[in-house]
Amino acid sequence: MQPKDPIHFEGKTAFDHLKKARLKGSSMTAEIHGEEPPGHLIAACDSAKELVIILSLVWTAMISAPFTLYQKVLCSVLLVIGLIIWKTTRSALYGWARLERLHRLIEEERFEIEHHRPQEKEELLEMYKAKGFKGKQLDDIISVLMADDNRLLMVMLEEELGLSVHSFEHPLKQALGACIGACIAGALGILSILVGGLYMLYGLTFLILVTASILSAKALKNDTTKSVVWHLSIAFLSLGVVYFLEKLIFFT
């Protein structure tokens, strides 16, 4: 067996190095920003939910404000435009950040393949031994993988780091989803205000939260009932607090 490279393995065994690498890959697939996961559908649902709840909160806070309907609607239109721009660019920015991290991990792994081949081979042996391969079959697999750097790179990304390179969606596609979701929610929000006022906006908020929560949960393969209940509970709490604070402020 090749001696362990202290720079590559940092004094650890190949198995310990693999565990550390898998944790490194897990941090890549985890959401670094604590917001919506990648994907145009998720981005659209997140944008729609956020825009409509913000619009409802603003209108709730303005119940007793000395503004005309025209002034309130005009302010709402400006708010919606700003939120559409914010949600779209924010989604694109996070998408590019994820791709940047992915490219960095790919280049780090490519460097290891080019400069630490014996250690990469040792890692492959550990991985495929853990899968149950042994003897000549194990040697044949390792020989085939080590013969092609591109194949080896993909295997190390997927097997060592636990990454699925093809699952990363282009940031512009994700941004487009966010834009569409925000535009739909914004247009329907303004229309509901013009037609039925605050209570129709509340009804629209309820429908969008339910629909978007169900779609997001299905996309993530999560429990749809829990998703709907939690989103509605948080929305009810937020709107309720603002409503009672607004009454307290303007009637004291």
Side-chain angles (χ1 to χ4, degrees):
M1 180 179 292
Q2 295 286 345
K4 292 185 282 294
D5 188 325
I7 298 177
H8 183 59
F9 282 150
E10 299 176 343
K12 298 180 175 65
T13 64
F15 180 74
D16 289 335
H17 178 78
L18 286 172
K19 289 196 296 183
K20 181 180 178 181
R22 181 53 66 96
L23 289 174
K24 181 180 179 182
S26 298
S27 68
M28 172 66 210
T29 55
E31 294 309 304
I32 60 174
H33 44 80
E35 301 291 342
E36 79 276 3
H40 61 283
L41 177 60
I42 302 296
C45 292
D46 178 79
S47 295
K49 289 183 292 187
E50 186 170 331
L51 191 144
V52 78
I53 193 64
I54 289 176
L55 193 58
S56 294
L57 287 169
V58 169
W59 269 76
T60 301
M62 293 193 302
I63 289 176
S64 303
F67 301 136
T68 64
L69 178 61
Y70 172 78
Q71 290 172 324
K72 289 182 179 180
V73 171
L74 181 59
C75 289
S76 298
V77 171
L78 296 177
L79 174 66
V80 166
I81 292 173
L83 285 173
I84 290 172
I85 295 172
W86 165 250
K87 292 296 294 183
T88 302
T89 54
R90 167 183 169 276
S91 186
L93 179 62
Y94 286 144
W96 285 115
R98 288 175 60 84
L99 278 186
E100 184 179 348
R101 294 185 69 197
L102 174 62
H103 290 159
R104 186 174 70 251
L105 289 179
I106 290 174
E107 290 307 313
E108 288 175 359
E109 194 60 42
R110 194 191 308 276
F111 179 86
E112 291 182 1
I113 289 172
E114 292 175 353
H115 297 85
H116 302 287
R117 292 189 72 83
Q119 288 71 39
E120 292 296 290
K121 183 175 181 180
E122 189 174 345
E123 290 176 31
L124 280 175
L125 284 168
E126 289 291 341
M127 285 190 290
Y128 282 89
K129 281 179 183 178
K131 292 177 180 288
F133 295 99
K134 56 185 177 181
K136 186 177 183 302
Q137 187 180 32
L138 176 62
D139 293 335
D140 290 341
I141 291 174
I142 302 303
S143 297
V144 170
L145 293 178
M146 294 297 296
D148 187 332
D149 284 359
N150 289 327
R151 183 190 295 123
L152 178 59
L153 176 62
M154 293 302 297
V155 168
M156 297 307 286
L157 289 172
E158 294 178 0
E159 300 287 347
E160 180 185 10
L161 298 178
L163 297 176
S164 179
V165 177
H166 299 295
S167 67
F168 290 86
E169 193 171 82
H170 196 283
L172 294 182
K173 184 177 181 181
Q174 186 171 325
L176 178 61
C179 181
I180 291 173
C183 287
I184 291 174
L188 292 177
I190 297 299
L191 181 61
S192 67
I193 291 169
L194 293 173
V195 173
L198 180 59
Y199 290 107
M200 183 165 284
L201 178 59
Y202 285 160
L204 175 71
T205 300
F206 174 83
L207 290 176
I208 288 181
L209 284 177
V210 170
T211 303
S213 298
I214 291 174
L215 291 175
S216 297
K218 284 180 179 280
L220 296 171
K221 296 181 172 56
N222 290 338
D223 189 303
T224 55
T225 302
K226 288 181 180 179
S227 178
V228 170
V229 169
W230 276 109
H231 278 88
L232 290 180
S233 299
I234 294 170
F236 180 79
L237 176 63
S238 302
L239 290 169
V241 169
V242 172
Y243 178 83
F244 285 112
L245 286 177
E246 190 273 342
K247 294 299 183 185
L248 182 65
I249 291 171
F250 282 95
F251 290 96
T252 54

PDB file of all heavy atoms in Angstrom, residues 8-10 12-28 109 112 122-124 126-127 130 156 159-162:
ATOM      1  N   HIS A   8      -2.181  15.480   1.910  1.00  0.00           N
ATOM      2  CA  HIS A   8      -3.495  15.123   1.382  1.00  0.00           C
ATOM      3  C   HIS A   8      -4.407  14.573   2.462  1.00  0.00           C
ATOM      4  O   HIS A   8      -5.545  14.999   2.621  1.00  0.00           O
ATOM      5  CB  HIS A   8      -3.314  14.102   0.259  1.00  0.00           C
ATOM      6  CG  HIS A   8      -4.605  13.732  -0.404  1.00  0.00           C
ATOM      7  ND1 HIS A   8      -5.419  14.651  -1.026  1.00  0.00           N
ATOM      8  CD2 HIS A   8      -5.223  12.538  -0.520  1.00  0.00           C
ATOM      9  CE1 HIS A   8      -6.467  14.048  -1.531  1.00  0.00           C
ATOM     10  NE2 HIS A   8      -6.389  12.762  -1.227  1.00  0.00           N
ATOM     11  N   PHE A   9      -3.903  13.615   3.236  1.00  0.00           N
ATOM     12  CA  PHE A   9      -4.723  12.970   4.267  1.00  0.00           C
ATOM     13  C   PHE A   9      -4.679  13.698   5.606  1.00  0.00           C
ATOM     14  O   PHE A   9      -5.448  13.387   6.501  1.00  0.00           O
ATOM     15  CB  PHE A   9      -4.276  11.522   4.476  1.00  0.00           C
ATOM     16  CG  PHE A   9      -4.772  10.596   3.399  1.00  0.00           C
ATOM     17  CD1 PHE A   9      -4.034   9.475   3.053  1.00  0.00           C
ATOM     18  CD2 PHE A   9      -5.960  10.830   2.740  1.00  0.00           C
ATOM     19  CE1 PHE A   9      -4.480   8.608   2.074  1.00  0.00           C
ATOM     20  CE2 PHE A   9      -6.419   9.975   1.762  1.00  0.00           C
ATOM     21  CZ  PHE A   9      -5.674   8.858   1.421  1.00  0.00           C
ATOM     22  N   GLU A  10      -3.745  14.625   5.756  1.00  0.00           N
ATOM     23  CA  GLU A  10      -3.612  15.400   6.987  1.00  0.00           C
ATOM     24  C   GLU A  10      -3.443  14.496   8.206  1.00  0.00           C
ATOM     25  O   GLU A  10      -4.021  14.732   9.271  1.00  0.00           O
ATOM     26  CB  GLU A  10      -4.818  16.317   7.175  1.00  0.00           C
ATOM     27  CG  GLU A  10      -4.974  17.328   6.041  1.00  0.00           C
ATOM     28  CD  GLU A  10      -6.227  18.171   6.192  1.00  0.00           C
ATOM     29  OE1 GLU A  10      -7.123  17.774   6.972  1.00  0.00           O
ATOM     30  OE2 GLU A  10      -6.317  19.208   5.535  1.00  0.00           O
ATOM     31  N   LYS A  12      -4.550  11.516   8.646  1.00  0.00           N
ATOM     32  CA  LYS A  12      -5.685  10.613   8.869  1.00  0.00           C
ATOM     33  C   LYS A  12      -5.558   9.391   7.971  1.00  0.00           C
ATOM     34  O   LYS A  12      -4.787   9.359   7.008  1.00  0.00           O
ATOM     35  CB  LYS A  12      -7.010  11.333   8.579  1.00  0.00           C
ATOM     36  CG  LYS A  12      -7.293  12.536   9.459  1.00  0.00           C
ATOM     37  CD  LYS A  12      -8.635  13.156   9.084  1.00  0.00           C
ATOM     38  CE  LYS A  12      -9.012  14.286  10.022  1.00  0.00           C
ATOM     39  NZ  LYS A  12      -8.087  15.428   9.941  1.00  0.00           N
ATOM     40  N   THR A  13      -6.362   8.374   8.285  1.00  0.00           N
ATOM     41  CA  THR A  13      -6.444   7.222   7.405  1.00  0.00           C
ATOM     42  C   THR A  13      -7.324   7.594   6.208  1.00  0.00           C
ATOM     43  O   THR A  13      -8.017   8.605   6.210  1.00  0.00           O
ATOM     44  CB  THR A  13      -7.073   6.023   8.132  1.00  0.00           C
ATOM     45  OG1 THR A  13      -8.433   6.346   8.484  1.00  0.00           O
ATOM     46  CG2 THR A  13      -6.294   5.681   9.389  1.00  0.00           C
ATOM     47  N   ALA A  14      -7.273   6.737   5.172  1.00  0.00           N
ATOM     48  CA  ALA A  14      -8.104   6.996   3.989  1.00  0.00           C
ATOM     49  C   ALA A  14      -9.584   7.008   4.365  1.00  0.00           C
ATOM     50  O   ALA A  14     -10.371   7.814   3.848  1.00  0.00           O
ATOM     51  CB  ALA A  14      -7.843   5.929   2.921  1.00  0.00           C
ATOM     52  N   PHE A  15      -9.983   6.126   5.292  1.00  0.00           N
ATOM     53  CA  PHE A  15     -11.386   6.054   5.702  1.00  0.00           C
ATOM     54  C   PHE A  15     -11.807   7.344   6.405  1.00  0.00           C
ATOM     55  O   PHE A  15     -12.878   7.894   6.137  1.00  0.00           O
ATOM     56  CB  PHE A  15     -11.597   4.849   6.629  1.00  0.00           C
ATOM     57  CG  PHE A  15     -13.015   4.695   7.094  1.00  0.00           C
ATOM     58  CD1 PHE A  15     -14.001   4.232   6.231  1.00  0.00           C
ATOM     59  CD2 PHE A  15     -13.366   5.020   8.401  1.00  0.00           C
ATOM     60  CE1 PHE A  15     -15.314   4.094   6.660  1.00  0.00           C
ATOM     61  CE2 PHE A  15     -14.673   4.889   8.835  1.00  0.00           C
ATOM     62  CZ  PHE A  15     -15.641   4.414   7.962  1.00  0.00           C
ATOM     63  N   ASP A  16     -10.956   7.831   7.312  1.00  0.00           N
ATOM     64  CA  ASP A  16     -11.272   9.089   8.005  1.00  0.00           C
ATOM     65  C   ASP A  16     -11.311  10.259   7.037  1.00  0.00           C
ATOM     66  O   ASP A  16     -12.129  11.175   7.176  1.00  0.00           O
ATOM     67  CB  ASP A  16     -10.237   9.359   9.102  1.00  0.00           C
ATOM     68  CG  ASP A  16     -10.373   8.407  10.275  1.00  0.00           C
ATOM     69  OD1 ASP A  16     -11.498   7.890  10.476  1.00  0.00           O
ATOM     70  OD2 ASP A  16      -9.377   8.167  10.974  1.00  0.00           O
ATOM     71  N   HIS A  17     -10.420  10.227   6.041  1.00  0.00           N
ATOM     72  CA  HIS A  17     -10.417  11.284   5.033  1.00  0.00           C
ATOM     73  C   HIS A  17     -11.715  11.267   4.228  1.00  0.00           C
ATOM     74  O   HIS A  17     -12.265  12.319   3.891  1.00  0.00           O
ATOM     75  CB  HIS A  17      -9.218  11.093   4.097  1.00  0.00           C
ATOM     76  CG  HIS A  17      -9.155  12.116   3.004  1.00  0.00           C
ATOM     77  ND1 HIS A  17      -8.703  13.404   3.204  1.00  0.00           N
ATOM     78  CD2 HIS A  17      -9.503  12.047   1.681  1.00  0.00           C
ATOM     79  CE1 HIS A  17      -8.767  14.078   2.067  1.00  0.00           C
ATOM     80  NE2 HIS A  17      -9.244  13.274   1.130  1.00  0.00           N
ATOM     81  N   LEU A  18     -12.215  10.070   3.934  1.00  0.00           N
ATOM     82  CA  LEU A  18     -13.469   9.951   3.189  1.00  0.00           C
ATOM     83  C   LEU A  18     -14.641  10.510   3.990  1.00  0.00           C
ATOM     84  O   LEU A  18     -15.532  11.171   3.437  1.00  0.00           O
ATOM     85  CB  LEU A  18     -13.745   8.483   2.833  1.00  0.00           C
ATOM     86  CG  LEU A  18     -12.866   7.899   1.721  1.00  0.00           C
ATOM     87  CD1 LEU A  18     -13.100   6.399   1.607  1.00  0.00           C
ATOM     88  CD2 LEU A  18     -13.158   8.586   0.395  1.00  0.00           C
ATOM     89  N   LYS A  19     -14.639  10.263   5.302  1.00  0.00           N
ATOM     90  CA  LYS A  19     -15.711  10.805   6.140  1.00  0.00           C
ATOM     91  C   LYS A  19     -15.677  12.321   6.137  1.00  0.00           C
ATOM     92  O   LYS A  19     -16.719  12.980   6.056  1.00  0.00           O
ATOM     93  CB  LYS A  19     -15.589  10.273   7.572  1.00  0.00           C
ATOM     94  CG  LYS A  19     -15.949   8.801   7.717  1.00  0.00           C
ATOM     95  CD  LYS A  19     -16.181   8.423   9.162  1.00  0.00           C
ATOM     96  CE  LYS A  19     -14.923   8.573   9.989  1.00  0.00           C
ATOM     97  NZ  LYS A  19     -15.123   8.132  11.396  1.00  0.00           N
ATOM     98  N   LYS A  20     -14.468  12.886   6.213  1.00  0.00           N
ATOM     99  CA  LYS A  20     -14.335  14.342   6.194  1.00  0.00           C
ATOM    100  C   LYS A  20     -14.781  14.899   4.850  1.00  0.00           C
ATOM    101  O   LYS A  20     -15.444  15.948   4.771  1.00  0.00           O
ATOM    102  CB  LYS A  20     -12.888  14.732   6.470  1.00  0.00           C
ATOM    103  CG  LYS A  20     -12.659  16.240   6.496  1.00  0.00           C
ATOM    104  CD  LYS A  20     -11.203  16.568   6.763  1.00  0.00           C
ATOM    105  CE  LYS A  20     -10.980  18.076   6.733  1.00  0.00           C
ATOM    106  NZ  LYS A  20      -9.563  18.439   6.970  1.00  0.00           N
ATOM    107  N   ALA A  21     -14.443  14.210   3.772  1.00  0.00           N
ATOM    108  CA  ALA A  21     -14.826  14.663   2.437  1.00  0.00           C
ATOM    109  C   ALA A  21     -16.334  14.621   2.254  1.00  0.00           C
ATOM    110  O   ALA A  21     -16.921  15.514   1.638  1.00  0.00           O
ATOM    111  CB  ALA A  21     -14.143  13.787   1.372  1.00  0.00           C
ATOM    112  N   ARG A  22     -16.981  13.583   2.806  1.00  0.00           N
ATOM    113  CA  ARG A  22     -18.438  13.495   2.684  1.00  0.00           C
ATOM    114  C   ARG A  22     -19.114  14.638   3.443  1.00  0.00           C
ATOM    115  O   ARG A  22     -20.115  15.197   2.978  1.00  0.00           O
ATOM    116  CB  ARG A  22     -18.927  12.135   3.193  1.00  0.00           C
ATOM    117  CG  ARG A  22     -20.444  11.943   3.088  1.00  0.00           C
ATOM    118  CD  ARG A  22     -20.947  12.222   1.690  1.00  0.00           C
ATOM    119  NE  ARG A  22     -20.468  11.290   0.716  1.00  0.00           N
ATOM    120  CZ  ARG A  22     -21.133  10.222   0.303  1.00  0.00           C
ATOM    121  NH1 ARG A  22     -22.319   9.967   0.814  1.00  0.00           N
ATOM    122  NH2 ARG A  22     -20.635   9.427  -0.631  1.00  0.00           N
ATOM    123  N   LEU A  23     -18.564  15.005   4.600  1.00  0.00           N
ATOM    124  CA  LEU A  23     -19.098  16.157   5.338  1.00  0.00           C
ATOM    125  C   LEU A  23     -18.907  17.444   4.530  1.00  0.00           C
ATOM    126  O   LEU A  23     -19.768  18.327   4.534  1.00  0.00           O
ATOM    127  CB  LEU A  23     -18.402  16.283   6.691  1.00  0.00           C
ATOM    128  CG  LEU A  23     -18.749  15.217   7.725  1.00  0.00           C
ATOM    129  CD1 LEU A  23     -17.880  15.388   8.968  1.00  0.00           C
ATOM    130  CD2 LEU A  23     -20.230  15.296   8.104  1.00  0.00           C
ATOM    131  N   LYS A  24     -17.789  17.524   3.836  1.00  0.00           N
ATOM    132  CA  LYS A  24     -17.520  18.692   2.991  1.00  0.00           C
ATOM    133  C   LYS A  24     -18.542  18.773   1.871  1.00  0.00           C
ATOM    134  O   LYS A  24     -19.053  19.850   1.546  1.00  0.00           O
ATOM    135  CB  LYS A  24     -16.101  18.564   2.424  1.00  0.00           C
ATOM    136  CG  LYS A  24     -15.663  19.724   1.547  1.00  0.00           C
ATOM    137  CD  LYS A  24     -14.246  19.450   1.068  1.00  0.00           C
ATOM    138  CE  LYS A  24     -13.744  20.556   0.157  1.00  0.00           C
ATOM    139  NZ  LYS A  24     -12.382  20.249  -0.349  1.00  0.00           N
ATOM    140  N   GLY A  25     -18.857  17.620   1.270  1.00  0.00           N
ATOM    141  CA  GLY A  25     -19.864  17.609   0.217  1.00  0.00           C
ATOM    142  C   GLY A  25     -21.247  17.902   0.743  1.00  0.00           C
ATOM    143  O   GLY A  25     -22.057  18.553   0.083  1.00  0.00           O
ATOM    144  N   SER A  26     -21.529  17.449   1.965  1.00  0.00           N
ATOM    145  CA  SER A  26     -22.833  17.716   2.564  1.00  0.00           C
ATOM    146  C   SER A  26     -23.047  19.199   2.778  1.00  0.00           C
ATOM    147  O   SER A  26     -24.148  19.719   2.616  1.00  0.00           O
ATOM    148  CB  SER A  26     -22.956  16.979   3.908  1.00  0.00           C
ATOM    149  OG  SER A  26     -22.878  15.590   3.716  1.00  0.00           O
ATOM    150  N   SER A  27     -21.979  19.904   3.153  1.00  0.00           N
ATOM    151  CA  SER A  27     -22.103  21.350   3.343  1.00  0.00           C
ATOM    152  C   SER A  27     -22.376  22.048   2.027  1.00  0.00           C
ATOM    153  O   SER A  27     -22.964  23.123   1.989  1.00  0.00           O
ATOM    154  CB  SER A  27     -20.822  21.912   3.965  1.00  0.00           C
ATOM    155  OG  SER A  27     -19.743  21.835   3.052  1.00  0.00           O
ATOM    156  N   MET A  28     -21.985  21.425   0.917  1.00  0.00           N
ATOM    157  CA  MET A  28     -22.250  22.004  -0.396  1.00  0.00           C
ATOM    158  C   MET A  28     -23.710  21.866  -0.755  1.00  0.00           C
ATOM    159  O   MET A  28     -24.343  22.772  -1.300  1.00  0.00           O
ATOM    160  CB  MET A  28     -21.386  21.280  -1.436  1.00  0.00           C
ATOM    161  CG  MET A  28     -21.696  21.662  -2.869  1.00  0.00           C
ATOM    162  SD  MET A  28     -21.282  23.367  -3.243  1.00  0.00           S
ATOM    163  CE  MET A  28     -22.497  23.718  -4.502  1.00  0.00           C
ATOM    164  N   GLU A 109     -10.865  18.747  -6.381  1.00  0.00           N
ATOM    165  CA  GLU A 109     -10.802  17.307  -6.618  1.00  0.00           C
ATOM    166  C   GLU A 109      -9.931  16.998  -7.828  1.00  0.00           C
ATOM    167  O   GLU A 109      -9.183  16.012  -7.838  1.00  0.00           O
ATOM    168  CB  GLU A 109     -12.215  16.749  -6.821  1.00  0.00           C
ATOM    169  CG  GLU A 109     -12.290  15.241  -6.747  1.00  0.00           C
ATOM    170  CD  GLU A 109     -11.828  14.699  -5.404  1.00  0.00           C
ATOM    171  OE1 GLU A 109     -12.186  15.281  -4.360  1.00  0.00           O
ATOM    172  OE2 GLU A 109     -11.088  13.687  -5.404  1.00  0.00           O
ATOM    173  N   GLU A 112      -6.383  17.090  -6.725  1.00  0.00           N
ATOM    174  CA  GLU A 112      -6.005  15.886  -5.981  1.00  0.00           C
ATOM    175  C   GLU A 112      -5.743  14.718  -6.929  1.00  0.00           C
ATOM    176  O   GLU A 112      -4.816  13.931  -6.708  1.00  0.00           O
ATOM    177  CB  GLU A 112      -7.120  15.524  -4.991  1.00  0.00           C
ATOM    178  CG  GLU A 112      -7.257  16.511  -3.836  1.00  0.00           C
ATOM    179  CD  GLU A 112      -8.330  16.104  -2.859  1.00  0.00           C
ATOM    180  OE1 GLU A 112      -8.957  15.033  -3.075  1.00  0.00           O
ATOM    181  OE2 GLU A 112      -8.563  16.838  -1.886  1.00  0.00           O
ATOM    182  N   GLU A 122      -6.190   4.875  -3.095  1.00  0.00           N
ATOM    183  CA  GLU A 122      -6.471   4.312  -1.780  1.00  0.00           C
ATOM    184  C   GLU A 122      -7.895   4.632  -1.334  1.00  0.00           C
ATOM    185  O   GLU A 122      -8.588   3.802  -0.744  1.00  0.00           O
ATOM    186  CB  GLU A 122      -5.462   4.843  -0.765  1.00  0.00           C
ATOM    187  CG  GLU A 122      -5.525   4.155   0.583  1.00  0.00           C
ATOM    188  CD  GLU A 122      -4.410   4.604   1.505  1.00  0.00           C
ATOM    189  OE1 GLU A 122      -3.438   5.223   1.034  1.00  0.00           O
ATOM    190  OE2 GLU A 122      -4.528   4.320   2.715  1.00  0.00           O
ATOM    191  N   GLU A 123      -8.342   5.858  -1.636  1.00  0.00           N
ATOM    192  CA  GLU A 123      -9.714   6.235  -1.305  1.00  0.00           C
ATOM    193  C   GLU A 123     -10.714   5.390  -2.081  1.00  0.00           C
ATOM    194  O   GLU A 123     -11.740   4.956  -1.534  1.00  0.00           O
ATOM    195  CB  GLU A 123      -9.932   7.718  -1.623  1.00  0.00           C
ATOM    196  CG  GLU A 123      -9.185   8.665  -0.697  1.00  0.00           C
ATOM    197  CD  GLU A 123      -9.361  10.112  -1.103  1.00  0.00           C
ATOM    198  OE1 GLU A 123     -10.426  10.450  -1.659  1.00  0.00           O
ATOM    199  OE2 GLU A 123      -8.431  10.915  -0.884  1.00  0.00           O
ATOM    200  N   LEU A 124     -10.425   5.167  -3.369  1.00  0.00           N
ATOM    201  CA  LEU A 124     -11.307   4.327  -4.180  1.00  0.00           C
ATOM    202  C   LEU A 124     -11.395   2.912  -3.604  1.00  0.00           C
ATOM    203  O   LEU A 124     -12.480   2.313  -3.547  1.00  0.00           O
ATOM    204  CB  LEU A 124     -10.794   4.262  -5.620  1.00  0.00           C
ATOM    205  CG  LEU A 124     -11.108   5.446  -6.534  1.00  0.00           C
ATOM    206  CD1 LEU A 124     -10.431   5.261  -7.881  1.00  0.00           C
ATOM    207  CD2 LEU A 124     -12.615   5.601  -6.721  1.00  0.00           C
ATOM    208  N   GLU A 126     -11.030   1.994  -0.502  1.00  0.00           N
ATOM    209  CA  GLU A 126     -11.858   2.039   0.706  1.00  0.00           C
ATOM    210  C   GLU A 126     -13.347   2.132   0.357  1.00  0.00           C
ATOM    211  O   GLU A 126     -14.187   1.461   0.957  1.00  0.00           O
ATOM    212  CB  GLU A 126     -11.455   3.229   1.569  1.00  0.00           C
ATOM    213  CG  GLU A 126     -10.111   3.101   2.253  1.00  0.00           C
ATOM    214  CD  GLU A 126     -10.124   2.049   3.348  1.00  0.00           C
ATOM    215  OE1 GLU A 126     -11.229   1.683   3.811  1.00  0.00           O
ATOM    216  OE2 GLU A 126      -9.039   1.582   3.739  1.00  0.00           O
ATOM    217  N   MET A 127     -13.666   2.967  -0.642  1.00  0.00           N
ATOM    218  CA  MET A 127     -15.073   3.152  -1.010  1.00  0.00           C
ATOM    219  C   MET A 127     -15.681   1.874  -1.557  1.00  0.00           C
ATOM    220  O   MET A 127     -16.794   1.487  -1.173  1.00  0.00           O
ATOM    221  CB  MET A 127     -15.196   4.284  -2.049  1.00  0.00           C
ATOM    222  CG  MET A 127     -15.030   5.681  -1.479  1.00  0.00           C
ATOM    223  SD  MET A 127     -15.465   6.981  -2.659  1.00  0.00           S
ATOM    224  CE  MET A 127     -14.122   6.855  -3.832  1.00  0.00           C
ATOM    225  N   ALA A 130     -16.110  -0.934   0.909  1.00  0.00           N
ATOM    226  CA  ALA A 130     -17.315  -0.713   1.714  1.00  0.00           C
ATOM    227  C   ALA A 130     -18.574  -1.117   0.964  1.00  0.00           C
ATOM    228  O   ALA A 130     -19.594  -1.450   1.574  1.00  0.00           O
ATOM    229  CB  ALA A 130     -17.407   0.763   2.114  1.00  0.00           C
ATOM    230  N   MET A 156     -15.306  10.486  -7.947  1.00  0.00           N
ATOM    231  CA  MET A 156     -14.876  11.055  -6.670  1.00  0.00           C
ATOM    232  C   MET A 156     -15.847  12.141  -6.202  1.00  0.00           C
ATOM    233  O   MET A 156     -16.109  12.276  -5.004  1.00  0.00           O
ATOM    234  CB  MET A 156     -13.469  11.637  -6.791  1.00  0.00           C
ATOM    235  CG  MET A 156     -12.399  10.601  -7.115  1.00  0.00           C
ATOM    236  SD  MET A 156     -12.395   9.183  -5.991  1.00  0.00           S
ATOM    237  CE  MET A 156     -11.679   9.911  -4.524  1.00  0.00           C
ATOM    238  N   GLU A 159     -19.096   9.850  -5.322  1.00  0.00           N
ATOM    239  CA  GLU A 159     -18.898   8.832  -4.290  1.00  0.00           C
ATOM    240  C   GLU A 159     -18.207   9.395  -3.040  1.00  0.00           C
ATOM    241  O   GLU A 159     -18.589   9.076  -1.913  1.00  0.00           O
ATOM    242  CB  GLU A 159     -18.084   7.665  -4.853  1.00  0.00           C
ATOM    243  CG  GLU A 159     -18.727   6.965  -6.031  1.00  0.00           C
ATOM    244  CD  GLU A 159     -19.914   6.116  -5.615  1.00  0.00           C
ATOM    245  OE1 GLU A 159     -20.089   5.872  -4.411  1.00  0.00           O
ATOM    246  OE2 GLU A 159     -20.668   5.688  -6.507  1.00  0.00           O
ATOM    247  N   GLU A 160     -17.176  10.210  -3.240  1.00  0.00           N
ATOM    248  CA  GLU A 160     -16.425  10.733  -2.100  1.00  0.00           C
ATOM    249  C   GLU A 160     -17.161  11.905  -1.445  1.00  0.00           C
ATOM    250  O   GLU A 160     -17.337  11.953  -0.228  1.00  0.00           O
ATOM    251  CB  GLU A 160     -15.028  11.187  -2.540  1.00  0.00           C
ATOM    252  CG  GLU A 160     -14.183  11.744  -1.391  1.00  0.00           C
ATOM    253  CD  GLU A 160     -12.858  12.311  -1.850  1.00  0.00           C
ATOM    254  OE1 GLU A 160     -12.653  12.447  -3.071  1.00  0.00           O
ATOM    255  OE2 GLU A 160     -12.026  12.623  -0.980  1.00  0.00           O
ATOM    256  N   LEU A 161     -17.598  12.870  -2.273  1.00  0.00           N
ATOM    257  CA  LEU A 161     -18.233  14.076  -1.735  1.00  0.00           C
ATOM    258  C   LEU A 161     -19.748  13.974  -1.668  1.00  0.00           C
ATOM    259  O   LEU A 161     -20.396  14.803  -1.029  1.00  0.00           O
ATOM    260  CB  LEU A 161     -17.846  15.292  -2.594  1.00  0.00           C
ATOM    261  CG  LEU A 161     -16.355  15.625  -2.644  1.00  0.00           C
ATOM    262  CD1 LEU A 161     -16.110  16.814  -3.558  1.00  0.00           C
ATOM    263  CD2 LEU A 161     -15.808  15.902  -1.251  1.00  0.00           C
ATOM    264  N   GLY A 162     -20.327  12.982  -2.347  1.00  0.00           N
ATOM    265  CA  GLY A 162     -21.785  12.828  -2.305  1.00  0.00           C
ATOM    266  C   GLY A 162     -22.527  13.861  -3.126  1.00  0.00           C
ATOM    267  O   GLY A 162     -23.685  14.176  -2.834  1.00  0.00           O
TER     268      GLY A 162
END
